[in-house]
Amino acid sequence: MRRIRSVKPSVRFPVSASLLRRLAFASIIANVAIVVTGGAVRLTASGLGCPTWPRCTDGSYVTTPEMGGHGVIEFGNRLLTFAVGIIALAVLLAVLARRPRPRGLLPLAVAVFLGIPAQAVIGGITVLTNLNPWVVGLHFLASMLVIAAAYALWRRTVEPDGPATPTVPAALRTLALVTTLVGAAVLVVGTWVTGSGPHAGDQGAARNGLDPEAISQVHADGVFLLIGLSVALVFAFRAVGAARATRAAVVLVAVELGQGLIGFVQYFTHLPAALVAAHMLGSCLVLLAALAVLWSTRERRPVQPTPDPVPATEPAPAAA
């Protein structure tokens, strides 16, 4: 007699498109938040609140009462890294479980997830080098790269899974790319300005040796160039009737003007900590707005189903 084997149904955990979008958006918010809290560590001179890494002290992974408020602030920022990593892991697991999975989504999820420990290691190096200003700047720029990857991931979750087609002429796509690259250069020079200024993260931390006034002028010149390119995008997009791209460019100009205003006020008021923190948040917003403009120059359309082939009809028999 033939034995019938029972087959257990496979267990699946479906992930809806809306859940994946929410997780991806939460990853953007979390990565922006850790930039701001990292700035709070530096602005409160708590950069060496935990004087070593990966431990907080030579004998403890957590802060101790003797380390006071600086230790609490620095250790709290380290704990937030775990929270950001948990969100990135949740996004990665959701992408793996998603069926059907949009093309290109998995590499982005992996990049964001691996970017968190990479950024944490660079943060540890900043502590081990006693807050070397160049390493501190690299730590900030690494966070910007993770935010950019998280944004690309989120945009991929809200787009249909069709091919990307341009919505503006090639010259304007190039102008949008150049504007984004200039924005990235402004961020890099901004870290040089920070490295020359008074907020070192600790009273004994070194500065990069650049003249604060001269490098601030270079940074301001870059900002003027960025705003000029962004305004040009607004008029160019409007001229070709690209409404979505025009809206994105208008938002970018508004964010840049707000960020520029904060930058000028903080410079002429001798860099109060609250305004410096707001400027760091503004840097993240400028990056996101510039990426939104870049994405607005093309769109994905749903894949049209291939029609079934029409069966060939046999010819009618000839009349006798």
Side-chain angles (χ1 to χ4, degrees):
M1 183 175 177
R2 193 173 179 181
R3 189 176 179 182
I4 300 175
R5 291 165 37 181
S6 61
V7 179
K8 294 182 179 179
S10 60
V11 179
R12 293 188 178 183
F13 301 93
V15 175
S16 66
S18 61
L19 174 60
L20 184 55
R21 284 196 299 270
R22 292 189 183 99
L23 287 173
F25 192 71
S27 182
I28 297 176
I29 295 175
N31 280 285
V32 171
I34 201 169
V35 170
V36 177
T37 59
V41 171
R42 181 170 56 84
L43 294 171
T44 58
S46 302
L48 295 178
C50 287
T52 188
W53 188 88
R55 295 175 181 244
C56 191
T57 67
D58 290 334
S60 174
Y61 281 97
V62 300
T63 185
T64 61
E66 293 77 14
M67 302 170 68
H70 291 317
V72 172
I73 294 172
E74 165 64 8
F75 183 69
N77 189 61
R78 294 188 182 188
L79 286 180
L80 184 59
T81 301
F82 287 99
V84 177
I86 290 172
I87 294 174
L89 177 60
V91 173
L92 178 58
L93 294 176
V95 169
L96 290 172
R98 176 69 179 152
R99 294 293 185 275
R101 183 187 305 149
R103 290 174 297 176
L105 198 59
L106 183 57
L108 289 171
V110 172
V112 174
F113 177 68
L114 295 181
I116 305 303
Q119 193 249 23
V121 169
I122 297 174
I125 295 174
T126 65
V127 174
L128 298 178
T129 57
N130 294 319
L131 306 182
N132 180 288
W134 301 106
V135 183
V136 172
L138 179 62
H139 187 43
F140 172 79
L141 295 175
S143 296
M144 294 294 103
L145 288 176
V146 176
I147 290 174
Y151 178 83
L153 172 64
W154 172 72
R155 288 301 298 255
R156 195 67 192 87
T157 65
V158 301
E159 296 174 328
D161 199 23
T165 57
T167 58
V168 298
L172 296 189
R173 296 199 304 274
T174 300
L175 180 59
L177 178 60
V178 170
T179 303
T180 304
L181 293 176
V182 170
V186 168
L187 291 177
V188 173
V189 178
T191 64
W192 302 348
V193 175
T194 299
S196 68
H199 297 294
D202 185 80
Q203 293 180 353
R207 302 283 72 204
N208 60 21
L210 298 176
D211 179 66
E213 184 174 349
I215 197 62
S216 295
Q217 184 61 57
V218 172
H219 183 58
D221 292 341
V223 171
F224 287 132
L225 175 61
L226 177 60
I227 293 176
L229 290 172
S230 302
V231 171
L233 281 175
V234 172
F235 287 102
F237 288 153
R238 183 173 295 174
V240 297
R244 187 166 67 98
T246 301
R247 289 193 297 269
V250 168
V251 171
L252 175 60
V253 171
V255 173
E256 289 168 351
L257 291 176
Q259 174 74 337
L261 178 61
I262 294 173
F264 277 108
V265 172
Q266 73 170 5
Y267 179 78
F268 289 110
T269 56
H270 307 292
L271 304 175
L275 286 181
V276 175
H279 200 55
M280 293 186 69
L281 174 61
S283 298
C284 299
L285 298 180
V286 168
L287 172 64
L288 292 171
L291 292 175
V293 170
L294 198 58
W295 255 259
S296 71
T297 61
R298 92 289 186 278
E299 64 179 359
R300 292 182 184 272
R301 297 175 181 174
V303 177
Q304 299 296 330
T306 304
D308 295 331
V310 178
T313 56
E314 296 182 1

